[in-house]
Amino acid sequence: MTATVIDGKAFAALVREKVAGHVARLKDEHGITPGLAVVLVGEDPASQVYVRSKGKQTVEVGMNSYEHKLDADTSEADLLALIDQLNKDPAVHGILVQLPLPKHLDEDLVINSIDPAKDVDGFHISNVGLLGTGQKSMVPCTPLGCLMMLRDHHGSLSGMDAVVIGRSNIVGKPMAQLLLGDSCTVTIAHSRTKDLAEVVRRADIVVAAVGRPEMVPGDWIKPGATVIDVGINRIDKPEGGTRLVGDCHYDSCAAVAGAITPVPGGVGPMTIACLLANTVTAACRANSLTEPEGLTA
Ligand code: GUN
């Protein structure tokens, strides 16, 4: 079997188009322009690239983008004061504090100081609890993007066996909650899982989010399974230079799977698209307006 390639780049473009439509409706019918504030502390090069890309795409769908770039030695009190100001600002519907933060800042404290209704990352403890109890919440962007692609490919996920490899708060745990919410039988595997190959072989859906290049080989994949590869790892090429690979060994997995997301061009582009979707959802909720269909869990 040769797997169907799930094109995250094209899917993300569709999500952005939908978001832009809802933004236009909010502006025309209600005089509301959704606004997203992104806070970057320090000069981590990868974070700078992400933040630039987020700002650019926010403006492209017609929303307001507010960027706050703070020095690496910013005090916790100053950062909390900025978040308090953004929490109170009615023009700001979504707040994202780019992670990781410099070591002297308490990440949990900072994230939990964001108004949960504006927490477009879905990292606030209230949103984690709401998601875990099946209530309406803000949903972390990367798992939301994976869920959208899975629903689009399969229709219903009910009764499917899903294995999530990785137990991070950003991807693994919320991904498992979302799959459970869609009535999958969910296993969370991780670095201490015994006989990982056997666990993965049972799965109709494999979500790999461990950050280890090409860790999952094709002979772990059940024929016809769907493979969602969240990993983005840069490795050296034998002939010199580098290339991006996922957590799954693409060629061998694609030879067995029914469907697979490539790296790059799979899950990656969906993350920012879902951030924009969460911002428009937050703007609708803040104004007691009907929220867009198909852009939330
Ligand atoms: N750093 C890497 N990924 C993310 C993300 O999804 N949200 C935030 N806030 N920081 C990140």
Side-chain angles (χ1 to χ4, degrees):
M1 173 177 286
T2 301
T4 300
V5 179
I6 299 177
D7 185 346
K9 201 172 161 193
F11 201 110
L14 283 179
V15 171
R16 285 196 302 272
E17 218 172 277
K18 258 193 196 179
V19 169
H22 286 288
V23 170
R25 182 176 59 89
L26 281 173
K27 282 186 187 175
D28 294 348
E29 295 175 14
H30 304 282
I32 298 162
T33 303
L36 172 64
V38 174
V39 180
L40 173 63
V41 186
E43 271 134 36
D44 177 68
S47 292
Q48 285 179 326
V49 173
Y50 285 134
V51 166
R52 207 173 309 130
S53 188
K54 284 168 187 168
K56 182 168 169 277
Q57 293 190 36
T58 301
V59 171
E60 278 169 3
V61 295
M63 303 200 288
N64 288 327
S65 169
Y66 308 101
E67 279 185 24
H68 295 268
K69 294 188 175 161
L70 307 181
D71 292 339
D73 62 357
T74 297
S75 70
E76 201 161 82
D78 284 350
L79 178 55
L80 293 176
L82 171 61
I83 291 171
D84 186 49
Q85 179 198 317
L86 297 172
N87 282 343
K88 289 175 178 152
D89 186 343
V92 172
H93 302 94
I95 302 170
L96 179 145
V97 177
Q98 185 67 28
L99 303 177
L101 288 170
K103 291 279 178 286
H104 68 284
L105 299 170
D106 180 341
E107 229 161 68
D108 289 337
L109 180 74
V110 169
I111 294 301
N112 290 326
S113 73
I114 298 171
D115 177 349
K118 297 189 178 188
D119 168 36
V120 281
D121 260 328
F123 295 165
H124 190 288
I125 190 68
S126 294
N127 283 314
V128 176
L130 290 167
L131 177 63
T133 50
Q135 301 178 70
K136 195 153 93 172
S137 66
M138 296 306 300
V139 177
C141 305
T142 301
L144 178 58
C146 296
L147 183 74
M148 284 182 186
M149 291 192 287
L150 283 166
R151 283 178 175 169
D152 181 68
H153 185 72
H154 287 285
S156 169
L157 307 182
S158 182
M160 296 179 85
D161 283 313
V163 171
V164 179
I165 315 173
R167 53 178 158 177
S168 71
N169 292 335
I170 295 183
V171 183
K173 287 180 200 159
M175 186 75 247
Q177 294 288 4
L178 289 171
L179 291 165
L180 194 58
D182 270 26
S183 302
C184 291
T185 302
V186 183
T187 303
I188 305 178
H190 47 78
S191 56
R192 303 286 174 89
T193 297
K194 278 186 265 178
D195 213 347
L196 182 58
E198 276 313 304
V199 171
V200 174
R201 276 188 197 115
R202 289 201 296 266
D204 304 307
I205 294 169
V206 180
V207 180
V210 271
R212 285 184 53 190
E214 301 181 318
M215 190 193 97
V216 178
D219 69 357
W220 290 13
I221 302 298
K222 176 157 104 177
T226 298
V227 176
I228 304 291
D229 193 346
V230 180
I232 302 177
N233 311 287
R234 189 167 288 284
I235 62 166
D236 292 330
K237 288 197 284 194
E239 69 272 26
T242 62
R243 67 189 177 103
L244 288 180
V245 298
D247 290 348
C248 301
H249 185 271
Y250 185 82
D251 288 345
S252 62
C253 289
V256 184
I260 188 166
T261 59
V263 178
V267 174
M270 288 298 286
T271 298
I272 297 182
C274 288
L275 173 67
L276 306 176
N278 277 349
T279 306
V280 85
T281 298
C284 289
R285 288 180 185 170
N287 292 280
S288 304
L289 297 169
T290 316
E291 53 190 78
E293 259 178 52
L295 293 183
T296 50

